[in-house]
Protein backbone atom coordinates (compact mmCIF):
# COMPACT_ATOMS: atom_id res chain seq x y z
CA UNK A 1 0.00 0.00 0.00
CA UNK A 2 1.31 3.41 -0.93
CA UNK A 3 1.56 6.31 1.52
CA UNK A 4 3.10 9.76 1.38
CA UNK A 5 5.08 11.34 4.21
CA UNK A 6 3.46 14.57 5.39
CA UNK A 7 6.85 16.17 6.13
CA UNK A 8 9.16 15.29 3.22
CA UNK A 9 6.38 14.40 0.68
CA UNK A 10 8.18 11.22 -0.46
CA UNK A 11 6.38 8.01 -1.38
CA UNK A 12 6.60 5.34 1.34
CA UNK A 13 5.83 1.64 0.94
CA UNK A 14 4.92 -0.10 4.21
CA UNK A 15 5.43 -3.79 4.72
CA UNK A 16 3.45 -5.87 7.19
CA UNK A 17 6.31 -6.07 9.71
CA UNK A 18 7.57 -2.47 9.56
CA UNK A 19 6.58 0.36 11.80
CA UNK A 20 4.65 3.42 10.75
CA UNK A 21 7.54 5.78 10.17
CA UNK A 22 9.04 7.42 7.10
CA UNK A 23 12.36 5.69 6.33
CA UNK A 24 13.74 8.94 4.82
CA UNK A 25 13.07 11.54 7.54
CA UNK A 26 11.67 9.52 10.47
CA UNK A 27 8.35 11.38 10.58
CA UNK A 28 5.41 9.32 11.88
CA UNK A 29 2.52 10.98 10.01
CA UNK A 30 1.81 9.23 6.71
CA UNK A 31 -1.01 10.11 4.35
CA UNK A 32 -2.83 7.40 2.41
CA UNK A 33 -2.77 7.98 -1.34
CA UNK A 34 -6.18 8.34 -2.96
CA UNK A 35 -7.00 6.25 -5.99
CA UNK A 36 -7.38 8.06 -9.30
CA UNK A 37 -10.53 6.12 -10.18
CA UNK A 38 -13.66 8.17 -10.77
CA UNK A 39 -16.70 6.79 -8.99
CA UNK A 40 -20.19 7.46 -10.23
CA UNK A 41 -23.24 7.48 -7.97
CA UNK A 42 -26.66 6.60 -9.31
CA UNK A 43 -29.06 9.29 -8.03
CA UNK A 44 -32.74 8.50 -8.29
Amino acid sequence: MSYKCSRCKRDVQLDEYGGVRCPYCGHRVLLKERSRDVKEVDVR
Side-chain angles (χ1 to χ4, degrees):
M1 182 155 290
S2 178
Y3 293 89
K4 186 169 283 213
C5 176
S6 66
R7 180 185 289 165
C8 68
K9 308 294 188 231
R10 294 177 82 175
D11 290 329
V12 176
Q13 296 290 328
L14 297 181
D15 58 1
E16 59 187 76
Y17 301 109
V20 181
R21 187 175 293 250
C22 176
Y24 305 106
C25 70
H27 198 59
R28 293 179 50 171
V29 178
L30 302 178
L31 306 172
K32 186 175 180 181
E33 290 287 299
R34 292 180 177 228
S35 68
R36 299 187 193 274
D37 297 337
V38 177
K39 297 181 181 178
E40 294 183 19
V41 178
D42 183 28
V43 180
R44 295 179 190 215

